Amino acid sequence: METFNFLSISIFIFLLFLLYKLLNKPAKNLPPSPPSYPIIGHIHLLKKPLHRTFHSLSNKFGPILFLQLGFCRVLVISSPSAVEECFSKNDIVFASRPHLLAGKHFGYNFTAIGWAPYGQHWRNLRRIFTIEVFSSNSVQHFSSIRKEEIESVIKHLVGRFSGGEGFVKVEMKSLFLELVLNVMMRIVAGKKFIDYGDDERKKKIELDNLREMFVPNVSMNLGDFFPVLKWFNFIIGIDKKLAYIHRKRDAYLQNLVVERCKNRENDLTDQCESKKVFIDVLLKLQETEPEQYPRDIVNGLIGIFFTAGTDTSALTMEWVMSALLNHPDVLEKVMVEINLHVGNHRLLDENDLPKLPYLHSVINETMRLYPVAPLSVPHVSSEECTVGGYGVPRGTILLTNIWAVHKDPKAWDDPMEFKPERFIDALEKDKEGKLWSYSFLPFGMGRRGCPGNLMGMQLVSLVLGRLIQCFEWGRLGNEEVDMSEGPGLTMPIAKPLVAVCKPRQAMMDFLTKNLVDSGNFI
């Protein structure tokens, strides 16, 4: 039996090697590449975190790096000039997504907007998002939701303050995530995700459940590198895991649709149009064009809010607050700017944000140093092209090392230093911000860039602005906040931020009057 097993494995490896040689004929003028092994290629070089591994390899072999991961060809770019070439001259060539196992399951067999190939179907989905959610009018339509949820957080924090000179301890990661989830859930389904007064154990279970469904720790796997492995039993475990998460996610999304339908039927005030949410838009489309908007398409459109819009926004807020606590002089400058343009007699409003360039510069500088998506979502070349004078074969996966581009010394002075003023100075020279158009990529680039950047920045800016306006913030101890990176597809802080705060004395009259007397903000 042992001899038979050894022979079977030997034959399998030999056939795999032959298949590898047949399907991976050497292309001409490929970009620089590290030494590789037969069959596995450069897989042995992949170590977490990937953005740092790619950065190290690019320092040795150049900013346009070619890797062979099993049967997958991968191009990793790490310079603004390569970014410009890929997403200007070759933007359409790289406008599609690779066929990975995650896209098969989480992307509803590559029909969801995040995984669909470039074409009419994708353009139609993108148009829905652009018009119904992320246009200027739509962002304004949902402004009351953002303000109300931030006010709920402020009330919650003020309610915990017992008076005197003491500070209260705040676990910022959960606070920000709950806030963003409430905003997104109300935009999508017209209801809160969670209440701040809920039992902490219950909230943790809800959040962990949502993270498992929408931020699973899976990306590319051996089945993507070696498609032949999908035919063998030892790969089925991975496929089953992805399928299980997808079924759980799909059932959750469908329940949101069913619940919204029931609420609309029971809405006796007939005010559904004024309270229109994203599911309402999709249901109307489904009624008029049922063949074009079946259940999978609808659920895929809803799901993108939770996969792309929640964890990233909450993590950005946590990174910004951590950076501010480590730079109290910068925090003081932000507070002075808010005092100057807003004052203490009312809450900062979205109309005030254009008057707060230093706050925006702090957020931008934090996203530059600590991008929550350090690697771009994968693109794939639909035809042969050239990048930097090198040949790129059709079907090559493109990854942009955003983390490395943001630290390119040719694009940024003192790239490892936290200097928000650099964005102020650049805007004085270039009002449209084109000086860093290919070196600052927090929302991606090209046709597949994130359409929600306006709404995301509005939310992040308003949350941080109001929290700084209303509270004094400090570190839990004397030591600086640890800015180490944690593991994951996004880039979390290794140790979740715990800060301390108390209401600012100058805001106490306003906060007390609106909380105690009326229970509502003006």
Side-chain angles (χ1 to χ4, degrees):
M1 181 63 71
E2 291 181 1
T3 303
F4 175 77
N5 287 338
F6 176 77
L7 183 61
S8 299
I9 293 172
S10 300
I11 292 172
F12 170 71
I13 293 175
F14 176 71
L15 292 174
L16 190 63
F17 180 76
L18 287 180
L19 187 62
Y20 174 82
K21 299 297 284 185
L22 287 172
L23 296 180
N24 285 274
K25 296 178 181 179
K28 295 180 180 178
N29 193 30
L30 289 174
S33 183
S36 64
Y37 289 129
I39 301 179
I40 67 169
H42 299 102
I43 290 178
H44 66 289
L45 298 176
L46 300 186
K47 296 178 176 60
K48 296 180 180 180
L50 286 178
H51 58 274
R52 288 187 178 271
T53 296
F54 291 152
H55 180 56
S56 177
L57 291 172
S58 294
N59 284 339
K60 293 180 182 178
F61 298 97
I64 302 174
L65 180 70
F66 185 82
L67 299 175
Q68 187 75 46
L69 305 180
F71 288 78
C72 287
R73 291 174 168 138
V74 178
L75 182 71
V76 182
I77 58 173
S78 304
S79 71
S81 59
V83 169
E84 181 176 8
E85 192 167 357
C86 287
F87 296 106
S88 57
K89 184 182 80 172
N90 294 313
D91 191 20
I92 292 180
V93 174
F94 287 113
S96 280
R97 298 290 191 215
H99 272 217
L100 307 178
L101 276 173
K104 170 189 169 185
H105 294 287
F106 303 151
Y108 291 91
N109 202 26
F110 308 101
T111 61
I113 187 171
W115 291 97
Y118 180 70
Q120 185 57 44
H121 172 69
W122 174 82
R123 284 192 291 269
N124 184 51
L125 298 181
R126 176 85 171 198
R127 180 184 58 80
I128 293 171
F129 269 107
T130 302
I131 295 174
E132 301 294 347
V133 183
F134 298 128
S135 67
S136 297
N137 288 338
S138 296
V139 170
Q140 182 60 35
H141 173 75
F142 294 119
S143 64
S144 61
I145 291 175
R146 293 189 292 276
K147 289 187 285 189
E148 288 168 10
E149 288 306 317
I150 299 169
E151 288 166 8
S152 294
V153 169
I154 295 172
K155 291 179 184 180
H156 170 70
L157 292 177
V158 171
R160 291 180 56 191
F161 180 65
S162 58
E165 298 298 320
F167 286 78
V168 295
K169 187 166 67 172
V170 184
E171 205 278 279
M172 304 302 296
K173 182 183 183 71
S174 296
L175 186 81
F176 288 141
L177 185 57
E178 290 167 21
L179 191 160
V180 176
L181 281 170
N182 276 341
V183 170
M184 293 300 176
M185 187 65 79
R186 289 184 63 184
I187 290 173
V188 170
K191 68 169 189 174
K192 280 179 175 282
F193 171 73
I194 208 163
D195 284 319
Y196 297 103
D198 284 352
D199 176 76
E200 291 299 321
R201 182 174 174 276
K202 176 187 174 184
K203 286 198 294 186
K204 185 179 185 307
I205 292 172
E206 292 271 3
L207 290 173
D208 289 346
N209 185 46
L210 206 75
R211 283 195 187 100
E212 181 190 19
M213 289 187 289
F214 295 103
V215 196
N217 191 20
V218 291
S219 52
M220 295 179 71
N221 54 63
L222 286 178
D224 295 315
F225 300 147
F226 302 100
V228 68
L229 293 181
K230 298 173 188 176
W231 303 338
F232 292 85
N233 288 333
F234 58 87
I235 198 64
I236 291 177
I238 296 174
D239 210 31
K240 280 185 175 180
K241 179 182 178 181
L242 297 178
Y244 164 76
I245 296 173
H246 165 68
R247 287 194 302 271
K248 189 174 179 179
R249 175 192 291 188
D250 184 63
Y252 182 86
L253 296 172
Q254 187 59 26
N255 284 338
L256 291 180
V257 174
V258 171
E259 184 178 349
R260 180 62 184 173
C261 287
K262 291 180 180 178
N263 289 340
R264 284 173 60 87
E265 291 173 0
N266 297 331
D267 192 340
L268 303 179
T269 62
D270 196 28
Q271 294 178 344
C272 282
E273 190 60 32
S274 63
K275 297 185 293 183
K276 182 177 68 173
V277 297
F278 189 52
I279 289 179
D280 298 339
V281 173
L282 298 180
L283 290 174
K284 188 173 182 179
L285 290 171
Q286 198 174 52
E287 290 172 6
T288 55
E289 300 177 78
E291 293 183 359
Q292 191 168 349
Y293 299 99
R295 165 182 163 152
D296 285 359
I297 298 298
V298 169
N299 288 359
L301 286 166
I302 299 169
I304 198 69
F305 278 89
F306 302 107
T307 56
T310 53
D311 198 48
T312 50
S313 296
L315 287 177
T316 298
M317 295 178 201
E318 188 181 9
W319 278 112
V320 174
M321 187 60 76
S322 299
L324 286 172
L325 292 179
N326 280 348
H327 298 84
D329 56 324
V330 175
L331 178 58
E332 179 66 24
K333 287 181 182 179
V334 175
M335 190 163 64
V336 168
E337 182 181 64
I338 293 172
N339 285 341
L340 178 64
H341 295 289
V342 183
N344 303 310
H345 62 285
R346 62 179 177 86
L347 282 181
L348 183 154
D349 195 70
E350 290 185 352
N351 294 330
D352 300 311
L353 294 179
K355 308 171 192 173
L356 306 174
Y358 194 70
L359 171 62
H360 290 295
S361 297
V362 168
I363 295 170
N364 283 339
E365 178 69 346
T366 305
M367 292 192 297
R368 184 189 69 81
L369 273 175
Y370 311 102
V372 295
L375 293 175
S376 67
V377 179
H379 296 242
V380 69
S381 56
S382 57
E383 58 185 61
E384 291 184 12
C385 63
T386 59
V387 176
Y390 300 109
V392 178
R394 180 179 181 272
T396 299
I397 294 174
L398 171 67
L399 293 175
T400 304
N401 192 345
I402 294 171
W403 184 89
V405 172
H406 284 187
K407 295 167 181 62
D408 188 333
K410 295 179 181 178
W412 306 95
D413 295 328
D414 300 321
M416 302 308 293
E417 297 298 317
F418 182 76
K419 296 168 62 175
E421 289 78 11
R422 73 172 82 240
F423 284 92
I424 296 280
D425 296 340
L427 279 175
E428 290 177 355
K429 300 174 185 176
D430 178 8
K431 296 299 182 183
E432 296 180 7
K434 291 182 179 178
L435 286 175
W436 61 76
S437 57
Y438 295 105
S439 56
F440 184 56
L441 315 168
F443 300 101
M445 276 291 293
R447 284 168 169 77
R448 301 302 286 247
C450 176
N453 57 339
L454 175 60
M455 181 179 287
M457 284 301 291
Q458 286 284 94
L459 178 61
V460 170
S461 302
L462 191 62
V463 170
L464 294 170
R466 284 188 166 188
L467 290 181
I468 293 168
Q469 178 192 24
C470 294
F471 299 94
E472 294 180 30
W473 292 93
R475 298 192 292 259
L476 185 59
N478 294 325
E479 295 184 3
E480 287 195 347
V481 176
D482 185 354
M483 303 296 278
S484 302
E485 308 156 11
L489 295 180
T490 51
M491 195 174 83
I493 298 180
K495 296 179 180 178
L497 175 63
V498 178
V500 295
C501 75
K502 68 176 181 180
R504 288 180 57 212
Q505 192 60 42
M507 289 291 293
M508 277 302 293
D509 288 343
F510 173 83
L511 294 174
T512 302
K513 177 182 177 181
N514 283 275
L515 284 173
V516 176
D517 294 350
S518 66
N520 293 298
F521 286 107
I522 295 175

